[in-house]
Each structure stands twice: as C-alpha cells, then as structure tokens.
Amino acid sequence: MAADDKARTWPELSAASLWPTMETLQLWAQIVGKVRLSQTPWLNHGWHVTLRVSARGLATGLIPHGDVGFEMEFDFIAGELVIRVSDGGERRVALKPGTVADFYTEVMGALEGLGVACRINQTPDEMAEATPFPEDRRHRAYDADVARDYWRALVQGDRVLNSFRTRFLGKCSPVHLFWGAFDLAVTRFSGRPAPLHPGGIPHLPDTVTREAYSHEVSSAGFWPGAPGQGPCFYAYAYPAPPGFEAAAVAPPARWDAGLGEFLLPYEAIRAAADPDAVLSAFLETTYEAAADLGGWDRAALECEEGRPRHPRWVG
C-alpha cells in the first residue's frame, strides 16, 4: 500500500492529542448509549446497548418509543449529534468543547422537544471519575479533526473485524462499540457455559458483567487506550485457559499482564506494508490460542471467510 493511501486509510492517531477528545466523546457516548439502554428490551450480553460504526460516525440504530422509533448518530463529518424520529422530527446538537452538563441538557431537551423524552441513569459506567452528567461542569476538550480521524480508524477496524467474523459458524456477536469502555468489539462463543464472573468493574453492576460473560468467549477489538498509551487492538479469552498468556501469537503483539489481554499497537498496523494482513494474523492467532487451549470444537465452529455474492457451500 502506498504511503499516501495508507495515511488516508489508517490515519495517524497521536497518543498525546487523542485522549482529551476521546474522554469527552466517551462521556457523550455514554449519554446516548444510556438513552438506548433506557428504551430497549434487554438482549443477551448487553448487545442492545451498543453503537455501530456508520457511514458518518457512530449510530444507535432504531430505538423504540411507544408508537414511534428514533435514532441518534454522532456525525463526525458534520460535527453534530443528529436525532431523527420516525414521524419526521429531527434535532441536531453541535459537537464542540464544553461541559458534559451542557451537552446532557441539550440532548435531553432535544429528545423532549421531539416527543421522545426519557430518563436515564446519570452516572458514567466503567470510568474512574463518575460525576453525574448534570453535575459535570469541568470544561472538556474536543478536537473535531481528532474525532474524525478516530472514526476513520474505526471504519477500517470494523471492516477487518467483520471479515474475521465471517469465518465462524458458531454464536458470534455483531461488530459493535460498547460505550462503557469505548471499545469496538467482536466476540466468539464456544457454546459452553462459563464460570461465574467475579465482577468488580468500576461503576458497573456485577449482574451486568456476569450476564455478559455467562458463556465461554474469545473476544477481540479496538480501544483508544489509556492516557499516553495510544490506541491498540486487543484480544482476550474468558475464562482464560491455562497457558493462554504464553501462547505464540503473531508479532508484534504482546501480552499485557495488567489487563490480561494481548495487545497490538495501532501504530504497528499503520507502519506495516500490509496493515490488513497484520491485523488479521493477530485476530486469528489469538483466537486459535484461546480455542485450542480451551478445547473448543473448532471443526464444528469454523468455516471459510465469507465472500460477496457467494453463499457458504453446504453439500
């Protein structure tokens, strides 16, 4: 891939400039996600609360509200949160530096004005700082160019993760973004129940965590990283089978003992001659380690990668 093409496809994401905008966007996404959570019947493993990568940003999909439905989309091209209702109503909230309290007030006011008002849990999930949204008056940074570049990276991650997903016949999640940790994820299931999860995730009920990890999984995704760390792709298993941390996976991935995950820095993908191949090898080898060490029935669970216009052959 030529350097110019790679820069457009896999944009540079500076660790120093990324975090302030990501922290703000994560809090905004929690508000939007909690709106979806408040209106949508519970789906296994919390799949009903997630956001999806869209052609312009991140979107909820249709949310039920009485006789109408509405959707909310972070439009990173226009720099707005767009709210559309199935009766034709529409409101827009600008994405700009400011306080979480002001953003929360604008979003809730827009929903009320559109006739789809709702109440949400006002406390952030899975974050060390858990100031309720209406009380969070600290000025927050937001760089529209940084947000747009991160979304462009999500578009690429979504594409490769979806190709990876097609190689699995068993139960598998969609490729979707969990706004609690703000990670894009896809999860494969062995089909067997898992030990009860110990819980303990900050500001997240253990009942939610235990339902999410009710069955054995091999999960992978993309995360903006901790402050100063930089974005990375990750892979883990629950429960992690013995020897998983020492498994031979495609370089330059490494095991992070603190997180209990394999990590592949985003910058390593950008620097590669074939970024898709490096990421695909990471996804495949970490899954194989989890499946082989965990005794999954791989012959029954796997298939060839999907191709456009070609149904999977069953003969």
Side-chain angles (χ1 to χ4, degrees), residues 7-268:
R8 285 190 293 269
T9 305
W10 297 91
E12 180 180 359
L13 298 175
S14 164
S17 61
L18 187 64
W19 179 253
T21 293
M22 288 299 102
E23 184 179 38
T24 303
L25 187 55
Q26 182 177 2
L27 287 163
W28 291 348
Q30 293 221 7
I31 294 170
V32 170
K34 284 172 180 280
V35 169
R36 187 179 185 197
L37 171 64
S38 74
Q39 302 296 295
T40 310
W42 196 276
L43 185 63
N44 51 299
H45 314 298
W47 293 351
H48 62 299
V49 308
T50 57
L51 305 179
R52 298 290 187 92
V53 179
S54 73
R56 298 183 69 92
L58 291 168
T60 60
L62 196 64
I63 300 170
H65 192 281
D67 294 333
V68 300
F70 67 98
E71 63 180 6
M72 308 175 75
E73 181 179 30
F74 287 99
D75 184 336
F76 297 124
I77 296 176
E80 299 171 320
L81 174 68
V82 185
I83 307 171
R84 299 184 180 93
V85 186
S86 59
D87 62 9
E90 181 177 308
R91 295 285 176 91
R92 294 170 180 259
V93 177
L95 304 179
K96 60 185 180 181
T99 70
V100 172
D102 286 344
F103 183 80
Y104 171 83
T105 298
E106 286 191 66
V107 171
M108 292 297 129
L111 292 172
E112 183 175 4
L114 289 166
V116 289
C118 61
R119 298 177 62 184
I120 69 171
N121 181 322
Q122 299 174 344
T123 303
D125 293 337
E126 300 184 55
M127 301 183 74
E129 179 184 332
T131 304
F133 305 127
E135 300 171 19
D136 190 342
R137 300 200 169 276
R138 179 161 67 88
H139 184 83
R140 303 278 180 169
Y142 182 76
D143 186 319
D145 291 333
V146 170
R148 194 176 302 117
D149 281 346
Y150 193 77
W151 160 67
R152 288 167 57 205
L154 286 175
V155 170
Q156 301 310 315
D158 181 87
R159 175 177 57 80
V160 179
L161 288 170
N162 267 298
S163 291
F164 172 69
R165 183 179 182 236
T166 66
R167 302 198 289 268
F168 198 72
L169 286 173
K171 175 180 170 180
C172 188
S173 78
V175 178
H176 48 187
L177 187 138
F178 285 92
W179 38 262
F182 206 66
D183 63 315
L184 186 72
V186 64
T187 302
R188 293 175 169 185
F189 292 76
S190 73
R192 300 188 299 244
L196 189 67
H197 195 283
I201 297 176
H203 308 292
L204 187 68
D206 289 346
T207 52
V208 174
T209 306
R210 287 168 178 161
E211 195 276 336
Y213 291 102
S214 61
H215 289 70
E216 291 181 345
V217 301
S218 171
S219 191
F222 182 55
W223 178 55
Q229 179 186 43
C232 56
F233 285 86
Y234 67 82
Y236 67 88
Y238 181 79
F244 181 61
E245 71 283 356
V249 301
R254 64 175 180 84
W255 176 257
D256 187 297
L259 293 174
E261 300 176 345
F262 287 102
L263 299 181
L264 174 63
Y266 173 80
E267 190 55 37

